[in-house]
Amino acid sequence: SKRSIRGGQGGFTLVEIAIVLVIIGLLLGGVLKGQELIEQSKIKRVVNDFNNVSAAIMTYQDRYRYLPGDDPNAAARWPTAVAGGPATSGSGNGTLAPATLAQVFTGGGNESGNAWQHLRLAGLVTGDVSTAARSQTPEQTPFGSNYGIGLGATAMGFGVVPAFCASLPAKAAEQLDRQLDDGNPQTGNIRANAPSATMNTAPAAAVATTNV
């Protein structure tokens, strides 16, 4: 019969399809918004970390009269603090001296690594000092890379010993520069540069990259 044929046909009405599409749209919008909020949270943490590390370095220098990592009195000041042994003293020459930019982000065996050790021993940065290697490990960024302290006073044209943040996504780097500086990656107190096997020069001499 005609009634039985109609009863066997099934499907969604236009209204039902429209409702489903709206729900899918809301779910996708929520996911994208959540990702954006997570990204913004990471950027905010980098801003806070930069401020905190800068304040820690200045506090250390004001307290002990040397840059962390360059402090020649560190071993005498903390003779049993690192796995029962002394801290690693620096040269006291006013700069930090890793051989390459890569060493700024790896820590041990140079004054950039010593800087993290000295800041931790001074109670200005948290971290594990149960072994020498752990005491010199740079802090991690929320983007899975490391912060760094050091290079010579002329690194990247700053004229001071800079702090670094490795491998920031381009969007995060731009926001960091706008929030803390002048928004120009080649000028001001925050500058971008391409990674290099040797010490970097001023940003104007480097090719721009999507990640810094």
Side-chain angles (χ1 to χ4, degrees), residues 128-156:
D128 187 355
V129 294
S130 61
T131 68
R134 290 177 179 175
S135 72
Q136 296 180 341
T137 301
E139 290 290 301
Q140 279 200 319
T141 75
F143 294 98
S145 56
N146 291 335
Y147 294 108
I149 304 171
L151 290 187
T154 59
M156 296 179 68

Side-chain angles (χ1 to χ4, degrees), residues 1 14 17 23 25 28 48 51 53 74 89 98 137 143 146 150 158 169 183:
S1 66
L14 289 176
I17 292 173
I23 292 173
L28 289 175
N48 290 335
N51 288 331
V53 170
S89 293
T137 301
F143 294 98
N146 291 335
F158 277 116

Side-chain angles (χ1 to χ4, degrees), residues 42-94:
K42 290 181 179 180
I43 294 170
K44 184 176 180 180
R45 182 183 150 192
V46 172
V47 170
N48 290 335
D49 287 347
F50 256 116
N51 288 331
N52 291 338
V53 170
S54 297
I57 292 171
M58 288 186 288
T59 299
Y60 188 100
Q61 190 171 23
D62 182 64
R63 184 184 298 176
Y64 300 117
R65 306 305 179 192
Y66 288 98
L67 287 166
D70 187 52
D71 187 350
N73 303 316
R77 185 176 295 113
W78 295 293
T80 59
V82 182
T88 304
S89 293
S91 64
N93 65 353

Side-chain angles (χ1 to χ4, degrees), residues 3 21 36-37 85 139-140 150 153:
R3 178 173 295 178
L21 291 176
E36 182 181 349
L37 290 174
E139 290 290 301
Q140 279 200 319

Side-chain angles (χ1 to χ4, degrees), residues 16-27:
E16 290 171 333
I17 292 173
I19 292 173
V20 171
L21 291 176
V22 168
I23 292 173
I24 292 174
L26 290 173
L27 290 174

